[in-house]
Every structure is written in structure tokens, then in C-alpha cells.
């Protein structure tokens, strides 16, 4: 399990409008593509730098592929990264102000202290 890689996925997808739309429309395909093409790149570095050992596990892959923000939080993904990406994808489907954000929070309401560890 790699909380770092979960957060890197959320961070990199959220910063690219094309990837946001691909993740909304075809999440499983985007997760597979991202893991093969971008997971091991070193951010903010020339293209020759990469690592080879980082991989998502099946539970992480499935949580990303199903847009399961509750499971992602349980796995240690940072809630700010998840929330900002999911707002970009799903807020447009709602009609009331903050409707999506309230729903997002309500689905996490069963978590008590201590919250899952989000340190990477």
C-alpha cells in the first residue's frame, strides 16, 4: 500500500483538466493508464527521471476506479486532495450550493477519532 502514490494520483489528475474529465468518464481506464505512464515519473523534473518500484495495490486501484472517497480516506489518502478533485468532477451534477460538499462530508461522518493516518 502506498499513501504517497494515492495522493500523487489525486494531485496530478486534479491539476490537468483533460485528466479530470477522463477520470470522470472512464475511471478504471484512467487509473490503469496513469499507473503505467505517470505513477513512476518524478514530478517537476526533466523527463529522464523515474522510479520503477511504486505500484498501487488492488484495493487502492479499486477505490480509485470506483471514485470511492470513503475508502480512499480509510486507506490514508489526504481528504483535501480527494475533495478538490471530486468537486471538479461532480459538483456540476448538483443544483444546490455546496450540495456535493455536504454529501461528501456526510459519507465520512461515521469516522471517529482518531481518523485514519494520512501521513505519507
Amino acid at each position: 500500500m502506498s499513501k504517497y502514490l494515492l495522493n500523487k494520483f489525486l494531485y496530478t489528475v486534479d491539476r490537468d483538466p483533460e485528466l479530470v474529465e477522463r477520470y470522470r468518464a472512464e475511471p478504471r481506464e484512467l487509473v490503469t493508464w496513469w499507473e503505467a505512464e505517470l505513477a513512476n515519473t518524478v514530478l517537476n523534473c526533466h523527463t529522464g527521471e523515474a522510479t520503477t518500484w511504486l505500484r498501487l495495490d488492488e484495493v487502492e486501484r479499486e477505490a480509485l476506479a470506483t471514485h470511492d472517497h470513503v475508502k480512499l480516506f480509510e486507506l490514508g489518502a489526504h481528504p483535501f486532495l480527494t475533495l478538490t478533485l471530486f468537486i471538479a468532477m461532480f459538483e456540476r451534477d448538483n443544483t444546490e450550493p455546496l450540495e456535493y460538499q455536504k454529501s461528501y462530508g456526510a459519507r465520512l461522518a461515521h469516522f471517529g477519532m482518531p481518523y485514519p493516518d494520512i501521513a505519507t
Side-chain angles (χ1 to χ4, degrees):
M1 182 171 96
S2 172
K3 290 185 271 186
Y4 168 78
L5 205 54
L6 283 177
N7 288 329
K8 183 177 180 180
F9 175 89
L10 298 168
Y11 177 86
T12 56
V13 171
D14 191 34
R15 274 138 191 87
D16 184 326
E18 181 182 316
L19 292 181
V20 170
E21 294 307 314
R22 285 178 59 194
Y23 186 42
R24 176 181 161 97
E26 300 176 333
R28 193 167 305 279
E29 291 81 0
L30 181 76
V31 170
T32 300
W33 173 85
W34 185 90
E35 190 173 14
E37 299 297 324
L38 296 180
N40 288 309
T41 60
V42 178
L43 297 179
N44 301 318
C45 192
H46 64 83
T47 57
E49 293 295 326
T51 184
T52 58
W53 61 273
L54 294 173
R55 295 190 53 192
L56 297 167
D57 67 26
E58 287 302 319
V59 174
E60 293 166 332
R61 225 176 265 113
E62 187 63 20
L64 289 169
T66 57
H67 297 147
D68 188 347
H69 75 267
V70 176
K71 186 64 172 179
L72 290 169
F73 181 63
E74 183 182 303
L75 292 170
H78 197 288
F80 178 78
L81 295 173
T82 308
L83 179 60
T84 58
L85 175 56
F86 281 39
I87 286 171
M89 292 192 303
F90 301 122
E91 185 174 46
R92 67 187 98 161
D93 299 333
N94 297 277
T95 57
E96 297 295 319
L98 299 175
E99 183 179 358
Y100 180 75
Q101 291 86 332
K102 290 176 183 177
S103 172
Y104 178 98
R107 290 190 57 209
L108 294 173
H110 68 282
F111 285 99
M113 296 292 275
Y115 295 126
D117 181 13
I118 61 172
T120 55

